[in-house]
Amino acid sequence: MKSEQFATAVKGILILLLMSLFSCSGEQGDTFTSESVQQAAQRYCALYTQGKTKECIEGMVGSESFPAEYKEMLQDVFAQGAKELERKGGVVRVEATSDTLYVADSTAYVYLDLVFTDSVHEQIGVPMVFQKGEWRLK
């Protein structure tokens, strides 16, 4: 498999993994805003691109109840994805470009622009859920 195809496959697997995790409805409060969800998504994506897999996984919905083996597996998968981004030159900036808030179930979908050292831009979508006064990865 070509390295570009591998990178696309890894990216796809990571996005599907994030989207497949169960979600819970959250409480709504003063921080249920576009600005706060974009900041949270940027923060989690920055942790991911910096290889800080443990912190990123801790930001996932339900992570406190994940079995240790599952957390280790997620960390390995996330670390591989971060290494692939680094192989491409590394991400120098993560910017939120837009989002969609869903008040009915306290979720959002944030669109991020990843900027690499060679000025190449890559856009991704990150599902989020508002739970107990904070945004978490869905």
Side-chain angles (χ1 to χ4, degrees):
M1 184 181 289
K2 294 181 183 175
S3 63
E4 290 178 22
Q5 291 173 325
F6 177 76
T8 302
V10 168
K11 195 181 329 165
I13 290 169
L14 290 174
I15 290 171
L16 288 174
L17 180 64
L18 287 173
M19 290 173 42
S20 69
L21 293 173
F22 57 93
S23 66
C24 302
S25 294
E27 303 168 10
Q28 291 184 15
D30 294 340
T31 60
F32 189 82
T33 64
S34 289
E35 182 179 343
S36 65
V37 73
Q38 287 184 14
Q39 289 173 355
Q42 285 177 183
R43 183 176 64 252
Y44 290 127
C45 188
L47 289 170
Y48 173 75
T49 62
Q50 295 166 7
K52 297 180 179 177
T53 59
K54 183 178 180 186
E55 294 91 339
C56 190
I57 291 167
E58 288 171 352
M60 298 173 79
V61 170
S63 63
E64 58 280 345
S65 63
F66 291 169
E69 300 82 25
Y70 183 63
K71 285 183 181 180
E72 288 176 26
M73 183 203 67
L74 284 176
Q75 286 180 343
D76 290 344
V77 171
F78 280 27
Q80 289 174 4
K83 283 179 187 174
E84 182 61 28
L85 292 176
E86 193 60 38
R87 189 193 64 74
K88 292 169 92 177
V91 175
V92 294
R93 191 172 71 240
V94 177
E95 284 183 19
T97 58
S98 65
D99 65 81
T100 305
L101 293 173
Y102 301 98
V103 176
D105 63 356
S106 301
T107 61
Y109 199 79
V110 181
Y111 297 91
L112 299 173
D113 185 38
L114 307 181
V115 183
F116 290 84
T117 54
D118 60 0
S119 299
V120 169
H121 291 250
E122 187 172 309
Q123 296 182 349
I124 62 169
V126 180
M128 304 286 289
V129 66
F130 191 70
Q131 185 180 62
K132 298 178 184 173
E134 68 179 355
W135 286 103
R136 313 260 331 246
L137 293 166
K138 185 174 176 185

